[in-house]
Amino acid sequence: MPTIKDVARLAGVTVTTVSRVLNNRGYISDATRQKVYQAMEELNYQPNEIARSLHRRKSKLIGLIIPTVSHPFFGELAGFIEYYAHLIGYKVLICNSLLDRKKEKEYIEMLKSNRVDGIIMGSHTLEVEEYMNLNYPIVTFDRRISEEIPYISSDNYGGGKLATHLLIQKGCKKIAHISGNLQLQLLANKRSQAFIELSKEHGIESVIVETELNVFDITQYEAMIRNLLEKHPDIDGVFASSDVMAAYFIQIGYFLNRRIPEDIKIVGYDDIKLASLFVPPLTTIRQPIEEMAKCAVELIVRQVNEEPFERENVFPVELIERLTT
Amino acid sequence: MPTIKDVARLAGVTVTTVSRVLNNRGYISDATRQKVYQAMEELNYQPNEIARSLHRRKSKLIGLIIPTVSHPFFGELAGFIEYYAHLIGYKVLICNSLLDRKKEKEYIEMLKSNRVDGIIMGSHTLEVEEYMNLNYPIVTFDRRISEEIPYISSDNYGGGKLATHLLIQKGCKKIAHISGNLQLQLLANKRSQAFIELSKEHGIESVIVETELNVFDITQYEAMIRNLLEKHPDIDGVFASSDVMAAYFIQIGYFLNRRIPEDIKIVGYDDIKLASLFVPPLTTIRQPIEEMAKCAVELIVRQVNEEPFERENVFPVELIERLTT
DNA sequence: TTCAATATGTCAATCGTTTGACATAAAAAA
DNA sequence: TTTTTTATGTCAAACGATTGACATATTGAA
């Protein structure tokens, strides 16, 4: 690979001059500028970003830790994050923690070693303190960690309310909520909270089941749901904490010959792209994934540039009513 | 951030010694090793991987260019690629080209500038020559570019045959195939080829529609499919070139009151995780995504290490018969 | 006692770029 | 003609590590 020296030699100038045209500083005549460009062209020269990073102590890299990019919600989130990062010259390193505490830690160390400019955390199993002394531009999804670290979330409570309210309003008599693991202390837990409060308030019978800790694997959903429907065959409304869970529910309902929405109504959460393609199309609570992704990138950049930023970034959700309710 | 010098100072040794314990070379007594470790601990020292990369001229970085990580197939692929890369100490930079020729090129330049050790290309719009003089460890998905560049694909022809054969065998009289854009010269085109050949061979009426060039956006699918069904209302079998397309078909069928599989049978391609959750669960051609991802990482590493590797890596597919046929 | 093995240090170059300080020369403006 | 401005060059340090060559000191074994 050619270096700046090769370019200088070929163009008949010094590396200082090449650097000057490369970085647009100082005086440069058009003639030499052209000579330099031509030499770069000829050699197919690409400035070594590693050397640059080393020197300027900025890598233009953002680390993204999520459970897994193969989950539709996180896939979409990652897609938008990369999109907005790329717009402003940042690259993104993906890390799939699989909600494994050890991997999460490993990834954080790795990202620090690689001197990423900031870390976007969409996966949370670690103790709060471990983040605290991270001393790094960070933004978290769905988790409040300390007074300083900014976080992004959807209006979980509002979403939970919208979903639960819809079920009640549609005449459900006994409703269930399937949530992620509640020990994880995520802000998503507020969805459950809203569910509980609202059903109590309306005197509606309700049950909650949650997924196991550390199990992101999707296979357990099925057993969980079948179990739920066996124990409570009279459930006629379900609020699932993600569209993927809702998909399981729809399917199991189909196999169990429960008509949707006639026998059981279902509301999901996220509004992943495929939600509208389910049969029947899924009623769900839409998180503004794109806006949240954009915000995450912005929060990192603001911290890098030492600009002021909001600590609380709660995005409004929207009820997307389709045909499962 | 502390440097190796700070560690040396605190441990009361020279940087050479610290480097020696860091890299396990030369003689080191247990005592000093401990002193050094302790100093690293105390300072919360993380060796600067950027400096290391610069020195060893290896970044331990793999670039991954795909249309978008938010597409389930590529999301799953990316997930596995990151998984296997991480196992052997590689990191992955994701690039979502959105099948945009300009972005694709930009990303390649960017990845080269960042001196990634290799590039995995799952997005192809560029001219072949542009890759040829890339002179870089590369592996492509679903495209044969030159004599030297290794590629990975599923047995597209076999898959197309399996799908088409199934439809015919199930008694379909007029079958359709929805494919990606055929101008892209992907090996995936062999699916269409198999479809055409087999339907001709069996004397079955058939139609093919393909998506537009450069449009990865999913929204066009719907119009396309509705259009197809309007023009050919007597279609009773469909082979979709991806599970996402199949999902559209299932849904539109649902809205048009065509029963699946009674009125129309559908076969997808990929076997994304959600395919089994469709209603009815989708019959599809399974690509061994995980194995393909693993293979991609391996091919990069082998090229980096100058070990021998296979140029052709065609993976067997499998018919997963569920309930849409 | 002597030699080899072990343990550490010193020094400096290298990876590829940026940048500041300074010098010099040509072109343009006064 | 003199002074500025513009254009380039020279030199060297810095970013944070690794590494080779060599020196020296302490052990332990023969």
Side-chain angles (χ1 to χ4, degrees), chain B residues 168-184:
Chain B
I168 294 173
Q169 175 208 316
K170 292 271 177 173
C172 294
K173 297 295 177 221
K174 177 168 183 179
I175 58 184
H177 173 53
I178 318 176
S179 82
N181 189 282
L182 297 170
Q183 278 174 258
L184 244 31

Side-chain angles (χ1 to χ4, degrees), chain A residues 31-294:
Chain A
T32 34
R33 194 185 296 275
Q34 288 319 312
K35 268 194 306 184
V36 170
Y37 278 141
Q38 203 183 314
M40 298 202 298
E41 190 80 21
E42 205 163 314
L43 293 171
N44 206 338
Y45 169 75
Q46 314 268 143
N48 185 328
E49 283 298 328
I50 295 183
R52 285 180 149 182
S53 294
L54 180 59
H55 187 268
R56 78 171 106 83
R57 268 95 87 50
K58 287 266 158 68
S59 61
K60 288 277 183 181
L61 226 47
I62 291 178
L64 172 61
I65 308 183
I66 52 181
T68 171
V69 79
S70 71
H71 185 287
F73 174 72
F74 289 107
E76 290 179 28
L77 187 69
F80 285 122
I81 285 178
E82 194 279 326
Y83 177 80
Y84 284 105
H86 181 252
L87 278 187
I88 50 173
Y90 278 82
K91 296 139 277 177
V92 3
L93 270 179
I94 26 160
C95 307
N96 302 121
S97 75
L98 305 177
L99 283 185
D100 173 332
R101 165 188 229 80
K102 207 174 118 226
K103 284 197 102 180
E104 226 173 67
K105 193 158 189 179
E106 242 176 74
Y107 276 125
I108 290 181
E109 305 286 274
M110 183 275 274
L111 292 174
K112 287 173 75 178
S113 279
N114 283 277
R115 301 297 190 267
V116 299
D117 291 344
I119 299 179
I120 298 176
M121 290 280 320
S123 168
H124 306 278
T125 63
L126 287 178
E127 318 299 336
V128 172
E129 313 88 60
E130 304 195 37
Y131 293 100
M132 299 276 282
N133 55 32
L134 213 51
N135 191 239
Y136 222 81
I138 284 194
V139 20
T140 65
F141 269 95
D142 246 20
R143 182 135 165 185
R144 216 159 17 207
I145 283 187
S146 75
E147 289 306 316
E148 305 93 50
I149 299 177
Y151 66 87
I152 293 174
S153 80
S154 63
D155 176 8
N156 287 291
Y157 190 83
K161 243 174 99 173
L162 277 174
T164 313
H165 193 81
L166 180 67
L167 291 175
I168 294 173
Q169 174 208 317
K170 291 271 177 173
C172 294
K173 297 296 175 222
K174 177 168 183 179
I175 59 185
H177 173 53
I178 318 177
S179 81
N181 190 281
L182 297 170
Q183 279 174 257
L184 246 32
Q185 305 254 26
L186 299 179
L187 292 171
N189 293 1
K190 291 189 174 180
R191 300 174 198 171
S192 313
Q193 193 190 326
F195 174 83
I196 294 171
E197 288 182 17
L198 221 65
S199 47
K200 197 163 286 175
E201 201 175 288
H202 284 75
I204 300 245
E205 204 179 341
S206 70
V207 283
I208 291 195
V209 281
E210 55 180 305
T211 57
E212 276 170 47
L213 195 64
N214 286 346
V215 182
F216 197 74
D217 189 18
I218 258 166
T219 46
Q220 63 160 319
Y221 290 174
E222 186 168 339
M224 223 176 75
I225 294 172
R226 281 186 181 275
N227 208 16
L228 173 69
L229 284 180
E230 245 166 59
K231 258 197 200 146
H232 305 277
D234 50 340
I235 282 172
D236 58 1
V238 173
F239 169 32
S241 214
S242 81
D243 290 348
V244 174
M245 286 184 193
Y248 271 92
F249 215 103
I250 292 180
Q251 205 201 35
I252 292 170
Y254 165 78
F255 277 119
L256 264 39
N257 279 317
R258 310 281 185 100
R259 288 169 307 160
I260 294 169
E262 294 82 355
D263 301 338
I264 303 187
K265 304 195 194 309
I266 301 178
V267 184
Y269 203 99
D270 292 343
D271 196 26
I272 59 176
K273 277 187 207 146
L274 282 176
S276 69
L277 291 182
F278 291 171
V279 169
L282 182 67
T283 292
T284 191
I285 305 296
R286 176 177 188 273
Q287 299 199 59
I289 305 184
E290 178 164 3
E291 287 79 1
M292 291 164 79
K294 187 178 176 189

Side-chain angles (χ1 to χ4, degrees), chain B residues 184-297:
Chain B
L184 244 31
Q185 304 254 26
L186 299 179
L187 292 171
N189 293 1
K190 292 190 172 182
R191 301 174 196 171
S192 313
Q193 192 190 328
F195 174 83
I196 294 170
E197 289 182 18
L198 221 64
S199 48
K200 196 164 286 173
E201 202 174 288
H202 284 76
I204 300 245
E205 204 180 340
S206 70
V207 284
I208 291 195
V209 282
E210 53 179 305
T211 56
E212 276 168 48
L213 196 63
N214 286 349
V215 183
F216 198 74
D217 190 17
I218 257 167
T219 47
Q220 64 159 318
Y221 289 175
E222 187 169 341
M224 222 174 77
I225 294 173
R226 283 187 181 275
N227 207 17
L228 173 70
L229 283 180
E230 244 165 58
K231 258 198 198 144
H232 305 276
D234 51 340
I235 282 171
D236 58 0
V238 173
F239 168 31
S241 215
S242 80
D243 289 350
V244 174
M245 288 185 192
Y248 271 91
F249 215 103
I250 292 179
Q251 206 201 35
I252 293 170
Y254 165 79
F255 277 119
L256 263 40
N257 279 318
R258 310 281 185 102
R259 288 169 307 161
I260 294 168
E262 294 82 354
D263 302 338
I264 303 187
K265 303 193 195 311
I266 300 178
V267 184
Y269 204 100
D270 290 344
D271 196 25
I272 60 176
K273 277 187 208 144
L274 281 176
S276 68
L277 292 182
F278 292 171
V279 169
L282 181 67
T283 291
T284 190
I285 305 296
R286 175 176 187 273
Q287 297 200 59
I289 306 183
E290 178 165 1
E291 287 79 2
M292 290 163 80
K294 186 177 175 189
C295 177
V297 173

